[in-house]
Amino acid sequence: MKILLAGEIDAGWRRNLAAALPEADWAYRGDAADVAVVANPARGALAGQRRLGLIQSLWAGVEGLLADPTLPPGVPIARMADPAMSAAMAETALWAVLALHRGFFAYARRQREGVWQAHAQRRADEVGVVVLGQGEMGRAAGARLAQQGYRVAGWRRGVELAPLLAASEIVVNLLPLTEATRGLLDARFFAAMAPGSALVNLGRGGHVVEADLLAALDAGQVREAVLDVFAQEPLPAGHAFWRHPRVQMLPHAAAATDPRSASQVVAANLRAWRDGREPAYLVDRGRGY
Ligand code: GLV
């Protein structure tokens, strides 16, 4: 099994992959490979790879890969579903929801302003949270929040969204970015949220129409936003989100794939392919995830 590595795969990844796949025959760029393991590869990285039987992504989101017109057609693509990554994502969702519910971001603002003032305390079961996306990470985040006592609803495409938004005061986005979900969080979406509710975007920047979010924040329709992902990354200097008092930012760091556990996932999937079994988490190219 000749394996080509492409994209953001550093020495740590290589070490973990080599340990998990002692039988691997590693290909050099230009060699005809049987399998490609990729992490956000540059456009054209797999062009001309005619023998490929499987493309295994180390990233959960594969929208960049699918947008590459030189991607060999018809080759099955598997996306990453890493239990350690799902656990980390659930932790980040819990942090954001807890801080929003208990007003901890507001207290941080009051500290900077020198204001000593407590607000009323509410119970978790008084707070409705809707999680957009019911994949590995959406379900892990929802379960963690429910365990913490929040009233959690999960939304997936095809279900009516407006009643869930109206009944929730925190929206957590963990959708995949596809043609159907790009720009979903726009002025109409924010208007359908309960007035004064909060957004936690842990999906992709492309889900959000940033100008519409800024307008909704400035109007108070959206009270606060916790944003991990942006239309352009790194977020350009001078972008309004950098200094917005009601925006908490993370530098696309909500949950990294863990090379130790993810390499085991890769090894299991590559061996399944080699042995003629169906690899896990295959992408539907038409659907986009
Ligand atoms: C990170 O954003 C990923 O898609 O794995």
Side-chain angles (χ1 to χ4, degrees), residues 18-279:
L21 283 158
E23 74 272 37
D25 177 9
W26 301 102
Y28 291 95
R29 220 198 141 130
D31 288 355
D34 302 307
V35 170
V37 175
V38 303
N40 200 26
R43 213 161 251 223
L46 301 183
Q49 284 288 345
R50 307 216 177 284
R51 206 170 85 193
L52 279 190
L54 176 68
I55 300 169
Q56 170 70 55
S57 175
L58 299 182
W59 279 40
V62 291
E63 75 284 351
L65 193 59
L66 294 178
D68 182 349
T70 72
L71 200 68
V75 180
I77 300 171
R79 66 196 151 76
M80 177 49 62
D82 168 22
M85 186 196 207
S86 298
M89 192 59 95
E91 288 170 358
T92 303
L94 179 60
W95 158 76
V97 167
L98 252 176
L100 289 163
H101 148 221
R102 294 290 310 279
F104 295 140
F105 298 133
Y107 284 137
R109 283 193 292 276
R110 286 180 193 169
Q111 178 181 355
R112 285 194 292 275
E113 292 159 2
V115 175
W116 178 281
Q117 188 198 338
H119 43 237
Q121 182 179 302
R122 295 160 65 219
R123 296 192 319 248
D125 65 4
E126 297 173 294
V127 178
V129 181
V130 60
V131 179
L132 310 180
Q134 292 294 284
E136 295 301 310
M137 288 186 280
R139 283 185 283 121
R144 194 76 179 78
L145 292 166
Q147 192 182 57
Q148 198 63 34
Y150 292 103
R151 284 195 282 112
V152 180
W155 180 78
R156 56 159 49 92
R157 226 153 53 81
V159 175
E160 213 194 331
L161 181 57
L164 294 179
L165 292 181
S168 307
E169 62 184 83
I170 302 175
V171 176
V172 178
N173 177 38
L174 277 165
L175 286 166
L177 184 62
T178 69
E179 282 322 303
T181 63
R182 183 177 296 281
L184 178 75
L185 281 65
D186 62 358
R188 251 186 62 194
F189 180 99
F190 298 129
M193 283 169 66
S197 51
L199 171 68
V200 180
N201 187 18
L202 308 177
R204 283 288 189 257
H207 288 126
V208 173
V209 179
E210 292 184 344
D212 290 359
L213 175 57
L214 282 165
L217 280 164
D218 292 341
Q221 170 64 12
V222 174
R223 177 170 56 93
E224 299 198 61
V226 179
L227 306 175
D228 180 52
V229 284
F230 304 89
Q232 191 184 332
E233 296 178 7
L235 189 69
H239 192 293
F241 287 151
W242 277 110
R243 295 189 174 280
H244 199 292
R246 293 179 181 275
V247 170
Q248 306 294 323
M249 277 176 55
L250 299 174
H252 198 143
T257 315
D258 184 317
R260 291 161 300 182
S261 52
S263 292
Q264 300 300 327
V265 173
V266 170
N269 236 14
L270 267 51
R271 288 182 190 132
W273 173 80
R274 179 197 62 196
D275 299 344
R277 287 177 284 118
E278 169 146 322

